[in-house]
Amino acid sequence: AQSVSQHNHHVILSEAASLELGCNYSYGGTVNLFWYVQYPGQHLQLLLKYFSGDPLVKGIKGFEAEFIKSKFSFNLRKPSVQWSDTAEYFCAVSSSASKIIFGSGTRLSIRP
Amino acid sequence: NAGVTQTPKFRVLKTGQSMTLLCAQDMNHEYMYWYRQDPGMGLRLIHYSVGEGTTAKGEVPDGYNVSRLKKQNFLLGLESAAPSQTSVYFCASRGTGVVTEAFFGQGTRLTVV
């Protein structure tokens, strides 16, 4: 069965600090990987996605993620965070069975 | 475009009452999903559908039923609500193309007292 682990439950950073959020998945077959963001009081929005090709994926708002197949990881990065990045971030995996399974989320707090 | 619309947005139920949450999408998507979101647990898949007339169980299906009689609608039913079903419920839809992501509704906040 598919599963997704996000080990960082709450990350607190100062503005301009660099960000890396971890995501590991377990599934032996071909997977599609996603990062979603949920701003306070809002629904989930897509940040970026990986299906195939270049393992370094660039998304919106300066976010990027790297797919490392050997480590079953898809970590999210941003070189310099802003206060407006305060949100909850979810990693998700989808297999050919069409289900999309989410991790438990990482709450990101940015100090002005 | 409306995208994915959920009704109602808020609801308070008494234990044992029943209710149906409606999800409607206007993107002609084949796949639809119901998730619940609880603090510290992320989004957990309740049920999903890969097309009109089909449904399948997700990670936490107990206590819920679903129906997909029309392609654009996906209904989530609670036959006898319990306090453990207090949560925020999100519906999502997704196309079947090669590079597709899920689009989410605004959520339904349900409280069972």
Side-chain angles (χ1 to χ4, degrees):
Chain A
Q2 301 163 222
S3 68
V4 180
S5 297
Q6 293 182 246
H7 303 294
N8 310 107
H9 298 295
H10 188 195
V11 173
I12 303 173
L13 295 173
S14 298
E15 276 195 312
S18 64
L19 169 72
E20 181 160 2
L21 302 182
C23 173
N24 289 92
Y25 67 93
S26 65
Y27 183 72
T30 301
V31 292
N32 304 321
L33 297 160
F34 308 87
W35 275 98
Y36 282 83
V37 61
Q38 185 179 32
Y39 297 105
Q42 296 189 25
H43 65 293
L44 274 75
Q45 303 169 47
L46 183 72
L47 270 180
L48 48 78
K49 59 189 176 187
Y50 172 81
F51 284 77
S52 64
D54 189 344
L56 185 61
V57 180
K58 295 195 183 299
I60 61 171
K61 304 186 179 186
F63 286 92
E64 64 180 30
E66 185 175 13
F67 170 54
I68 303 180
K69 190 175 182 179
S70 61
K71 295 185 178 180
F72 296 90
S73 71
F74 190 55
N75 292 355
L76 181 71
R77 300 194 291 246
K78 186 171 184 178
S80 176
V81 295
Q82 301 172 315
W83 181 80
S84 58
D85 292 325
T86 295
E88 191 154 17
Y89 293 80
F90 294 93
C91 182
V93 61
S94 175
S95 69
S96 58
S98 77
K99 289 191 294 186
I100 306 177
I101 302 298
F102 284 81
S104 57
T106 298
R107 186 156 65 97
L108 176 63
S109 299
I110 305 298
R111 292 189 291 250
Chain B
N1 288 336
V4 181
T5 304
Q6 292 181 231
T7 52
K9 291 185 170 48
F10 303 93
R11 184 73 185 268
V12 178
L13 285 180
K14 293 183 179 179
T15 298
Q17 286 185 316
S18 63
M19 79 163 293
T20 300
L21 281 66
L22 171 64
C23 177
Q25 53 97 1
D26 61 2
M27 295 173 282
N28 201 34
H29 284 167
E30 289 294 333
Y31 300 156
M32 295 188 75
Y33 308 86
W34 275 108
Y35 292 90
R36 60 177 290 174
Q37 184 179 24
D38 303 290
M41 305 192 76
L43 276 79
R44 291 180 292 169
L45 182 63
I46 304 172
H47 287 280
Y48 65 105
S49 168
V50 298
E52 181 178 314
T54 74
T55 63
K57 293 181 180 180
E59 302 168 281
V60 290
D62 294 342
Y64 304 95
N65 56 76
V66 287
S67 64
R68 183 102 181 264
L69 298 179
K70 293 183 178 181
K71 185 177 183 178
Q72 63 267 34
N73 296 337
F74 194 31
L75 280 62
L76 178 70
L78 285 74
E79 289 187 349
S80 179
S84 60
Q85 294 177 305
T86 293
S87 186
V88 179
Y89 292 85
F90 285 99
C91 176
S93 71
R94 181 187 186 195
T96 55
V98 175
V99 185
T100 59
E101 70 271 20
F103 293 84
F104 282 82
Q106 295 285 348
T108 296
R109 184 173 295 277
L110 175 66
T111 301
V112 182
V113 297

